[in-house]
Short mmCIF file of all heavy atoms in Angstrom, two decimals:
data_model
loop_
_atom_site.label_atom_id
_atom_site.label_comp_id
_atom_site.label_asym_id
_atom_site.label_seq_id
_atom_site.Cartn_x
_atom_site.Cartn_y
_atom_site.Cartn_z
N PHE A 202 -25.80 -54.90 -112.72
CA PHE A 202 -24.83 -53.94 -112.17
C PHE A 202 -24.67 -52.75 -113.12
O PHE A 202 -24.77 -51.60 -112.70
CB PHE A 202 -23.47 -54.64 -111.96
CG PHE A 202 -22.46 -53.78 -111.25
CD1 PHE A 202 -22.32 -53.85 -109.87
CD2 PHE A 202 -21.63 -52.90 -111.96
CE1 PHE A 202 -21.39 -53.06 -109.20
CE2 PHE A 202 -20.70 -52.11 -111.30
CZ PHE A 202 -20.57 -52.19 -109.92
N ILE A 203 -24.46 -53.03 -114.40
CA ILE A 203 -24.21 -51.90 -115.31
C ILE A 203 -25.49 -51.11 -115.60
O ILE A 203 -25.48 -49.90 -115.64
CB ILE A 203 -23.47 -52.28 -116.62
CG1 ILE A 203 -24.21 -53.33 -117.42
CG2 ILE A 203 -22.04 -52.68 -116.37
CD1 ILE A 203 -23.65 -53.51 -118.83
N LEU A 204 -26.63 -51.84 -115.76
CA LEU A 204 -27.86 -51.13 -116.09
C LEU A 204 -28.35 -50.27 -114.92
O LEU A 204 -29.05 -49.29 -115.11
CB LEU A 204 -28.96 -52.11 -116.53
CG LEU A 204 -28.66 -52.83 -117.86
CD1 LEU A 204 -29.67 -53.96 -118.11
CD2 LEU A 204 -28.67 -51.85 -119.05
N ASN A 205 -27.96 -50.64 -113.71
CA ASN A 205 -28.32 -49.83 -112.54
C ASN A 205 -27.47 -48.59 -112.39
O ASN A 205 -27.82 -47.67 -111.66
CB ASN A 205 -28.14 -50.66 -111.27
CG ASN A 205 -29.44 -51.25 -110.85
OD1 ASN A 205 -30.46 -50.55 -110.83
ND2 ASN A 205 -29.45 -52.53 -110.54
N ARG A 206 -26.30 -48.60 -113.01
CA ARG A 206 -25.38 -47.48 -112.81
C ARG A 206 -25.12 -46.65 -114.05
O ARG A 206 -24.47 -45.62 -114.00
CB ARG A 206 -24.02 -48.02 -112.32
CG ARG A 206 -24.07 -48.49 -110.91
CD ARG A 206 -22.87 -49.35 -110.55
NE ARG A 206 -23.01 -49.82 -109.17
CZ ARG A 206 -23.81 -50.81 -108.80
NH1 ARG A 206 -24.54 -51.45 -109.70
NH2 ARG A 206 -23.90 -51.17 -107.53
N ALA A 207 -25.60 -47.13 -115.20
CA ALA A 207 -25.26 -46.44 -116.44
C ALA A 207 -26.36 -46.61 -117.48
O ALA A 207 -27.15 -47.55 -117.40
CB ALA A 207 -23.94 -46.99 -116.98
N ALA A 208 -26.39 -45.69 -118.43
CA ALA A 208 -27.32 -45.82 -119.55
C ALA A 208 -26.53 -46.27 -120.77
O ALA A 208 -25.40 -45.81 -121.00
CB ALA A 208 -27.96 -44.46 -119.83
N ILE A 209 -27.14 -47.21 -121.54
CA ILE A 209 -26.49 -47.63 -122.78
C ILE A 209 -26.77 -46.55 -123.82
O ILE A 209 -27.92 -46.21 -124.06
CB ILE A 209 -27.05 -48.97 -123.30
CG1 ILE A 209 -26.93 -50.07 -122.24
CG2 ILE A 209 -26.33 -49.40 -124.58
CD1 ILE A 209 -27.55 -51.40 -122.67
N ARG A 210 -25.73 -46.03 -124.42
CA ARG A 210 -25.91 -45.01 -125.46
C ARG A 210 -25.76 -45.61 -126.86
O ARG A 210 -26.45 -45.21 -127.78
CB ARG A 210 -24.88 -43.88 -125.28
CG ARG A 210 -25.09 -43.09 -124.02
CD ARG A 210 -26.29 -42.15 -124.16
NE ARG A 210 -26.57 -41.44 -122.94
CZ ARG A 210 -27.69 -41.55 -122.23
NH1 ARG A 210 -28.67 -42.36 -122.63
NH2 ARG A 210 -27.87 -40.87 -121.13
N GLN A 211 -24.81 -46.51 -127.02
CA GLN A 211 -24.58 -47.10 -128.35
C GLN A 211 -24.07 -48.53 -128.23
O GLN A 211 -23.34 -48.88 -127.30
CB GLN A 211 -23.58 -46.24 -129.15
CG GLN A 211 -23.41 -46.75 -130.58
CD GLN A 211 -22.84 -45.72 -131.54
OE1 GLN A 211 -22.82 -44.52 -131.26
NE2 GLN A 211 -22.37 -46.18 -132.68
N LEU A 212 -24.49 -49.33 -129.21
CA LEU A 212 -23.97 -50.69 -129.34
C LEU A 212 -23.51 -50.86 -130.78
O LEU A 212 -24.24 -50.47 -131.70
CB LEU A 212 -25.07 -51.71 -129.05
CG LEU A 212 -25.54 -51.81 -127.59
CD1 LEU A 212 -26.91 -52.46 -127.50
CD2 LEU A 212 -24.52 -52.60 -126.75
N HIS A 213 -22.34 -51.41 -130.97
CA HIS A 213 -21.89 -51.69 -132.34
C HIS A 213 -21.65 -53.19 -132.46
O HIS A 213 -20.98 -53.81 -131.63
CB HIS A 213 -20.58 -50.95 -132.68
CG HIS A 213 -20.12 -51.28 -134.07
ND1 HIS A 213 -20.61 -50.64 -135.17
CD2 HIS A 213 -19.24 -52.21 -134.52
CE1 HIS A 213 -20.06 -51.17 -136.26
NE2 HIS A 213 -19.22 -52.12 -135.89
N LEU A 214 -22.18 -53.75 -133.54
CA LEU A 214 -22.05 -55.19 -133.77
C LEU A 214 -21.24 -55.42 -135.03
O LEU A 214 -21.52 -54.82 -136.08
CB LEU A 214 -23.47 -55.76 -133.94
CG LEU A 214 -23.64 -57.25 -133.91
CD1 LEU A 214 -23.23 -57.84 -132.57
CD2 LEU A 214 -25.12 -57.58 -134.18
N PHE A 215 -20.23 -56.30 -134.94
CA PHE A 215 -19.50 -56.71 -136.14
C PHE A 215 -20.21 -57.92 -136.71
O PHE A 215 -20.41 -58.91 -136.00
CB PHE A 215 -18.06 -57.08 -135.79
CG PHE A 215 -17.21 -55.90 -135.39
CD1 PHE A 215 -16.98 -55.62 -134.05
CD2 PHE A 215 -16.67 -55.06 -136.34
CE1 PHE A 215 -16.21 -54.53 -133.68
CE2 PHE A 215 -15.90 -53.96 -135.98
CZ PHE A 215 -15.67 -53.70 -134.65
N ASN A 216 -20.58 -57.86 -137.98
CA ASN A 216 -21.29 -59.00 -138.56
C ASN A 216 -20.38 -60.20 -138.79
O ASN A 216 -20.83 -61.33 -138.85
CB ASN A 216 -21.98 -58.61 -139.85
CG ASN A 216 -23.13 -57.64 -139.57
OD1 ASN A 216 -23.77 -57.74 -138.53
ND2 ASN A 216 -23.36 -56.69 -140.46
N SER A 217 -19.09 -59.94 -138.94
CA SER A 217 -18.17 -61.06 -139.14
C SER A 217 -17.46 -61.38 -137.83
O SER A 217 -16.92 -60.50 -137.18
CB SER A 217 -17.13 -60.69 -140.20
OG SER A 217 -16.05 -61.58 -140.08
N ARG A 218 -17.47 -62.66 -137.45
CA ARG A 218 -16.80 -63.06 -136.21
C ARG A 218 -15.29 -63.04 -136.35
O ARG A 218 -14.57 -63.01 -135.38
CB ARG A 218 -17.16 -64.52 -135.88
CG ARG A 218 -18.46 -64.70 -135.21
CD ARG A 218 -18.70 -66.19 -135.08
NE ARG A 218 -20.05 -66.41 -134.63
CZ ARG A 218 -20.35 -66.88 -133.42
NH1 ARG A 218 -19.41 -67.19 -132.58
NH2 ARG A 218 -21.59 -67.06 -133.07
N THR A 219 -14.82 -63.15 -137.57
CA THR A 219 -13.40 -63.43 -137.74
C THR A 219 -12.53 -62.19 -137.93
O THR A 219 -11.33 -62.27 -137.84
CB THR A 219 -13.18 -64.32 -138.99
OG1 THR A 219 -13.86 -63.70 -140.07
CG2 THR A 219 -13.67 -65.71 -138.77
N GLN A 220 -13.16 -61.05 -138.20
CA GLN A 220 -12.37 -59.95 -138.71
C GLN A 220 -11.64 -59.09 -137.68
O GLN A 220 -10.54 -58.65 -137.90
CB GLN A 220 -13.28 -59.04 -139.56
CG GLN A 220 -13.69 -59.68 -140.87
CD GLN A 220 -12.49 -60.00 -141.74
OE1 GLN A 220 -11.62 -59.17 -141.91
NE2 GLN A 220 -12.44 -61.21 -142.26
N THR A 221 -12.29 -58.84 -136.52
CA THR A 221 -11.77 -57.79 -135.64
C THR A 221 -10.34 -58.05 -135.16
O THR A 221 -9.49 -57.18 -135.21
CB THR A 221 -12.69 -57.61 -134.42
OG1 THR A 221 -14.02 -57.79 -134.85
CG2 THR A 221 -12.51 -56.25 -133.79
N PHE A 222 -10.10 -59.27 -134.66
CA PHE A 222 -8.76 -59.55 -134.19
C PHE A 222 -8.11 -60.60 -135.10
O PHE A 222 -7.58 -61.60 -134.66
CB PHE A 222 -8.81 -60.01 -132.72
CG PHE A 222 -9.32 -58.93 -131.81
CD1 PHE A 222 -10.62 -58.94 -131.35
CD2 PHE A 222 -8.52 -57.85 -131.45
CE1 PHE A 222 -11.12 -57.93 -130.54
CE2 PHE A 222 -8.99 -56.83 -130.64
CZ PHE A 222 -10.30 -56.87 -130.19
N LYS A 223 -8.21 -60.35 -136.40
CA LYS A 223 -7.81 -61.39 -137.35
C LYS A 223 -6.31 -61.69 -137.29
O LYS A 223 -5.91 -62.81 -137.52
CB LYS A 223 -8.26 -61.07 -138.78
CG LYS A 223 -7.78 -59.76 -139.35
CD LYS A 223 -8.28 -59.63 -140.78
CE LYS A 223 -7.97 -58.29 -141.40
NZ LYS A 223 -8.69 -57.17 -140.75
N ASP A 224 -5.49 -60.69 -136.92
CA ASP A 224 -4.05 -60.97 -136.83
C ASP A 224 -3.78 -62.01 -135.75
O ASP A 224 -2.78 -62.69 -135.76
CB ASP A 224 -3.26 -59.69 -136.50
CG ASP A 224 -3.56 -58.59 -137.51
OD1 ASP A 224 -3.68 -58.91 -138.69
OD2 ASP A 224 -3.70 -57.42 -137.10
N ASP A 225 -4.68 -62.08 -134.76
CA ASP A 225 -4.49 -63.03 -133.66
C ASP A 225 -5.38 -64.26 -133.81
O ASP A 225 -5.47 -65.07 -132.90
CB ASP A 225 -4.79 -62.35 -132.33
CG ASP A 225 -3.73 -61.31 -131.97
OD1 ASP A 225 -2.55 -61.64 -132.12
OD2 ASP A 225 -4.09 -60.20 -131.57
N ALA A 226 -6.05 -64.37 -134.95
CA ALA A 226 -6.95 -65.51 -135.23
C ALA A 226 -7.97 -65.72 -134.11
O ALA A 226 -8.22 -66.84 -133.69
CB ALA A 226 -6.15 -66.78 -135.48
N VAL A 227 -8.52 -64.63 -133.58
CA VAL A 227 -9.55 -64.75 -132.53
C VAL A 227 -10.90 -64.88 -133.21
O VAL A 227 -11.28 -64.04 -134.00
CB VAL A 227 -9.55 -63.50 -131.61
CG1 VAL A 227 -10.72 -63.55 -130.63
CG2 VAL A 227 -8.24 -63.40 -130.85
N LEU A 228 -11.60 -65.98 -132.89
CA LEU A 228 -12.90 -66.21 -133.50
C LEU A 228 -13.95 -65.93 -132.44
O LEU A 228 -14.19 -66.74 -131.55
CB LEU A 228 -13.00 -67.65 -133.97
CG LEU A 228 -14.30 -67.99 -134.68
CD1 LEU A 228 -14.32 -67.38 -136.07
CD2 LEU A 228 -14.45 -69.49 -134.78
N GLN A 229 -14.55 -64.78 -132.51
CA GLN A 229 -15.46 -64.41 -131.44
C GLN A 229 -16.37 -63.29 -131.90
O GLN A 229 -15.95 -62.44 -132.67
CB GLN A 229 -14.61 -63.90 -130.30
CG GLN A 229 -15.36 -63.38 -129.14
CD GLN A 229 -14.53 -63.62 -127.92
OE1 GLN A 229 -14.73 -64.58 -127.20
NE2 GLN A 229 -13.55 -62.78 -127.74
N GLU A 230 -17.61 -63.31 -131.41
CA GLU A 230 -18.50 -62.22 -131.78
C GLU A 230 -18.27 -61.08 -130.79
O GLU A 230 -18.48 -61.22 -129.59
CB GLU A 230 -19.94 -62.71 -131.71
CG GLU A 230 -20.82 -61.94 -132.65
CD GLU A 230 -22.23 -62.49 -132.69
OE1 GLU A 230 -22.53 -63.45 -131.98
OE2 GLU A 230 -23.02 -61.93 -133.46
N ASN A 231 -17.82 -59.94 -131.31
CA ASN A 231 -17.52 -58.81 -130.44
C ASN A 231 -18.54 -57.71 -130.59
O ASN A 231 -19.06 -57.50 -131.68
CB ASN A 231 -16.16 -58.20 -130.82
CG ASN A 231 -15.04 -59.10 -130.39
OD1 ASN A 231 -14.88 -59.37 -129.20
ND2 ASN A 231 -14.27 -59.59 -131.34
N VAL A 232 -18.77 -57.00 -129.51
CA VAL A 232 -19.57 -55.78 -129.61
C VAL A 232 -18.77 -54.64 -128.99
O VAL A 232 -17.90 -54.86 -128.15
CB VAL A 232 -20.94 -55.88 -128.89
CG1 VAL A 232 -21.80 -56.94 -129.50
CG2 VAL A 232 -20.79 -56.14 -127.41
N ILE A 233 -19.10 -53.44 -129.45
CA ILE A 233 -18.56 -52.25 -128.80
C ILE A 233 -19.74 -51.61 -128.08
O ILE A 233 -20.82 -51.47 -128.66
CB ILE A 233 -17.95 -51.29 -129.83
CG1 ILE A 233 -16.72 -51.97 -130.48
CG2 ILE A 233 -17.52 -49.97 -129.17
CD1 ILE A 233 -16.13 -51.20 -131.65
N ILE A 234 -19.54 -51.28 -126.83
CA ILE A 234 -20.63 -50.69 -126.04
C ILE A 234 -20.19 -49.33 -125.51
O ILE A 234 -19.04 -49.16 -125.12
CB ILE A 234 -21.06 -51.64 -124.90
CG1 ILE A 234 -22.29 -51.10 -124.17
CG2 ILE A 234 -19.95 -51.94 -123.92
CD1 ILE A 234 -22.97 -52.12 -123.25
N GLN A 235 -21.11 -48.39 -125.57
CA GLN A 235 -20.85 -47.07 -124.98
C GLN A 235 -21.85 -46.86 -123.85
O GLN A 235 -23.07 -46.99 -124.05
CB GLN A 235 -21.03 -45.97 -126.03
CG GLN A 235 -20.78 -44.58 -125.47
CD GLN A 235 -21.21 -43.48 -126.42
OE1 GLN A 235 -21.99 -43.73 -127.33
NE2 GLN A 235 -20.72 -42.28 -126.20
N LEU A 236 -21.35 -46.53 -122.67
CA LEU A 236 -22.20 -46.34 -121.49
C LEU A 236 -21.97 -44.95 -120.91
O LEU A 236 -20.86 -44.42 -120.99
CB LEU A 236 -21.84 -47.36 -120.41
CG LEU A 236 -22.02 -48.84 -120.74
CD1 LEU A 236 -21.38 -49.71 -119.66
CD2 LEU A 236 -23.51 -49.18 -120.88
N GLU A 237 -23.03 -44.40 -120.33
CA GLU A 237 -22.87 -43.13 -119.61
C GLU A 237 -23.23 -43.35 -118.15
O GLU A 237 -24.36 -43.73 -117.82
CB GLU A 237 -23.77 -42.04 -120.21
CG GLU A 237 -23.57 -40.71 -119.50
CD GLU A 237 -24.57 -39.65 -119.93
OE1 GLU A 237 -25.15 -39.77 -121.03
OE2 GLU A 237 -24.78 -38.71 -119.15
N ARG A 238 -22.28 -43.11 -117.28
CA ARG A 238 -22.49 -43.31 -115.85
C ARG A 238 -23.61 -42.39 -115.34
O ARG A 238 -23.59 -41.18 -115.61
CB ARG A 238 -21.17 -43.02 -115.11
CG ARG A 238 -21.23 -43.10 -113.61
CD ARG A 238 -21.29 -44.53 -113.14
NE ARG A 238 -21.98 -44.60 -111.88
CZ ARG A 238 -21.41 -44.92 -110.72
NH1 ARG A 238 -20.14 -45.23 -110.68
NH2 ARG A 238 -22.10 -44.95 -109.60
N ASP A 239 -24.57 -42.97 -114.67
CA ASP A 239 -25.74 -42.25 -114.13
C ASP A 239 -26.54 -41.54 -115.22
O ASP A 239 -27.29 -40.60 -114.90
CB ASP A 239 -25.31 -41.23 -113.05
CG ASP A 239 -24.68 -41.91 -111.85
OD1 ASP A 239 -24.84 -43.13 -111.71
OD2 ASP A 239 -24.01 -41.21 -111.07
N GLY A 240 -26.39 -41.95 -116.46
CA GLY A 240 -27.12 -41.30 -117.56
C GLY A 240 -28.61 -41.64 -117.48
O GLY A 240 -28.98 -42.69 -116.96
N VAL A 241 -29.44 -40.74 -117.99
CA VAL A 241 -30.87 -41.02 -118.02
C VAL A 241 -31.11 -41.97 -119.20
O VAL A 241 -30.75 -41.66 -120.34
CB VAL A 241 -31.67 -39.71 -118.24
CG1 VAL A 241 -33.17 -40.00 -118.32
CG2 VAL A 241 -31.36 -38.73 -117.11
N PRO A 242 -31.70 -43.15 -118.94
CA PRO A 242 -31.91 -44.11 -120.03
C PRO A 242 -32.75 -43.49 -121.14
O PRO A 242 -33.75 -42.83 -120.87
CB PRO A 242 -32.64 -45.27 -119.36
CG PRO A 242 -32.36 -45.12 -117.91
CD PRO A 242 -32.18 -43.66 -117.65
N SER A 243 -32.32 -43.67 -122.38
CA SER A 243 -33.13 -43.17 -123.51
C SER A 243 -32.81 -44.03 -124.72
O SER A 243 -32.25 -45.13 -124.58
CB SER A 243 -32.83 -41.69 -123.78
OG SER A 243 -31.51 -41.54 -124.21
#
Side-chain angles (χ1 to χ4, degrees):
F202 187 93
I203 58 168
L204 293 170
N205 263 314
R206 287 164 182 78
I209 304 176
R210 294 285 177 243
Q211 185 160 344
L212 290 160
H213 178 83
L214 192 63
F215 291 99
N216 292 326
S217 162
R218 279 175 189 249
T219 51
Q220 289 299 314
T221 324
F222 296 101
K223 57 178 174 294
D224 305 321
D225 290 315
V227 173
L228 183 74
Q229 176 150 262
E230 207 175 1
N231 288 299
V232 297
I233 295 172
I234 186 167
Q235 180 191 18
L236 298 170
E237 182 188 338
R238 176 75 208 248
D239 297 344
V241 178
S243 66

